[in-house]
Amino acid sequence: MNIGITEFNRKISSIPESEPLFTRIKSRVMNLNEINDKEQRKFWSKQRETYKIPQIYLSSQELDANLKEELKKNGAKKVL
């Protein structure tokens, strides 16, 4: 089922604030620089970090660097 961007936005905007998904979406789309209250900015920054989308696609250079780092820390037997 394909929906257009207008229908998608309508569905997203109809999520009640009491739903956990609302907090996740809000933490990802809000501009933290516009929040003047330091405690609120800290709260939303922590929410953004908690709900960030993990990087699942790594370049071969990043994979090689990660592997080398793990080899240095743990040795070949623990990594492989």
Side-chain angles (χ1 to χ4, degrees):
M1 177 179 113
N2 291 333
I3 61 173
I5 191 71
T6 305
E7 181 69 19
F8 176 77
N9 285 336
R10 193 175 315 124
K11 288 182 183 287
I12 291 293
S13 64
S14 68
I15 297 173
E17 289 187 28
S18 60
E19 289 292 322
L21 182 60
F22 179 85
T23 306
R24 289 178 181 213
I25 292 170
K26 185 174 180 179
S27 71
R28 290 180 183 160
V29 299
M30 71 178 358
N31 185 353
L32 296 176
N33 294 328
E34 294 177 356
I35 301 173
N36 293 328
D37 183 16
K38 288 183 181 183
E39 290 300 317
Q40 283 290 316
R41 190 178 317 125
K42 186 177 178 180
F43 169 79
W44 286 108
S45 178
K46 186 176 179 181
Q47 293 295 313
R48 180 174 283 176
E49 185 64 28
T50 301
Y51 297 127
K52 75 179 181 181
I53 299 171
Q55 179 67 32
I56 56 173
Y57 298 106
L58 299 173
S59 69
S60 59
Q61 291 86 7
E62 290 171 310
L63 290 171
D64 288 344
N66 290 348
L67 181 59
K68 286 178 186 177
E69 184 178 322
E70 288 297 318
L71 285 170
K72 284 181 185 176
K73 282 196 279 186
N74 302 317
K77 289 184 179 179
K78 289 189 177 181
V79 173
L80 302 174

